[in-house]
Amino acid sequence: MAAYIEFSEVSKVYRTGEVDVRALDGASFTVGKGEFCVVAGPSGAGKTTILNILGGIDTATAGEIVLDGRCISGMNEKQLTRYRRTDIGFVFQFYNLIQNLTALENVEIATEMGENPLDPKAVLDDVELTHRLSNFPAQLSGGEQQRVAIARALAKNPKLLLCDEPTGALDDTTGKHILSLLHTTCRRTGMTVVLITHNSVIADIADRVIKVKNGRVAKVYFNESPKSAAEIDW
């Protein structure tokens, strides 16, 4: 499969006072179009930095990042803003919903950013929340809030879905449901998904697994027969 994402010799250095902190140190990997990819590693390994650079939230100090033939690492701030708005869907650990907007309104506001958005009600139906359209985030469970967040990301119809520890704030049962939803979405739509986690068990559901340690890619491997979310146990 041709590479959809190319992450080549990427380094990221943060300066704190007179000290340089190397969050990424020549990290390289590729991801194919339509793959469900898990980036796994301990806290401080560089996972979130990878996600932020892929999403255009942060920039690399060195190296090259290409998505669907476009060089992200060469973009200026205006181009990165457009890239984030149109090409990237984000799912965060703590949902990041707007508290004074309903579930439907939270999804609708995201569709105003995309170039070819999906119907908000249809996407909320896909995540089984038709009965919660008029509810505010405070009236929803953690799992329901995360499903709204997923619907919000999908409604933009992005090229790439980036998930930052999406099960980190959920119990095991709800977490598996969210993983199943993400996995099914990847398979049904052909959308490329990159999910970061410190929980190595989640790697069993991935097509491609990227293990990160000390800012470097320590290992990349493929699961010939990925498990379903229901089959994993943490």
Side-chain angles (χ1 to χ4, degrees), residues 128-146:
E128 302 176 357
L129 283 177
T130 302
H131 62 299
R132 292 294 206 182
L133 299 182
S134 300
N135 287 103
F136 293 95
Q139 298 170 316
L140 303 173
S141 68
E144 288 172 332
Q145 289 186 67
Q146 191 62 294

Side-chain angles (χ1 to χ4, degrees), residues 52-140:
N52 288 344
I53 291 174
L54 276 178
I57 294 175
D58 205 349
T59 56
T61 303
E64 185 176 69
I65 304 96
V66 177
L67 173 70
D68 193 20
R70 296 172 63 203
C71 183
I72 309 307
S73 44
M75 290 182 176
N76 59 34
E77 190 55 46
K78 184 176 180 180
Q79 291 169 324
L80 282 173
T81 298
R82 183 174 180 80
Y83 168 72
R84 289 192 300 268
R85 286 171 61 98
T86 60
D87 292 350
I88 305 298
F90 290 100
V91 178
F92 301 98
Q93 179 175 349
F94 296 109
Y95 327 131
N96 288 11
L97 300 177
I98 300 174
Q99 295 299 308
N100 62 343
L101 297 183
T102 65
L104 178 59
E105 290 167 342
N106 265 281
V107 177
E108 285 176 335
I109 199 169
T111 62
E112 296 174 7
M113 301 179 188
E115 292 183 340
N116 187 29
L118 305 178
D119 178 70
K121 289 184 178 179
V123 179
L124 282 163
D125 182 53
D126 287 341
V127 300
E128 302 176 357
L129 283 177
T130 302
H131 62 299
R132 292 294 206 182
L133 299 182
S134 300
N135 287 103
F136 293 95
Q139 298 170 316
L140 303 173

Side-chain angles (χ1 to χ4, degrees), residues 180-228:
S180 179
L181 175 60
L182 291 169
H183 205 252
T184 300
T185 297
C186 176
R187 294 291 184 256
R188 187 185 76 247
T189 66
M191 186 177 294
T192 306
V193 177
V194 176
L195 181 152
I196 69 167
T197 181
H198 67 277
N199 188 343
S200 59
V201 176
I202 294 176
D204 289 343
I205 73 172
D207 299 307
R208 185 187 304 251
V209 180
I210 300 167
K211 296 272 191 175
V212 182
K213 185 177 181 180
N214 297 328
R216 294 176 178 268
V217 174
K219 184 179 181 181
V220 178
Y221 65 91
F222 297 88
N223 286 323
E224 295 297 332
S225 300
K227 292 182 178 180
S228 69

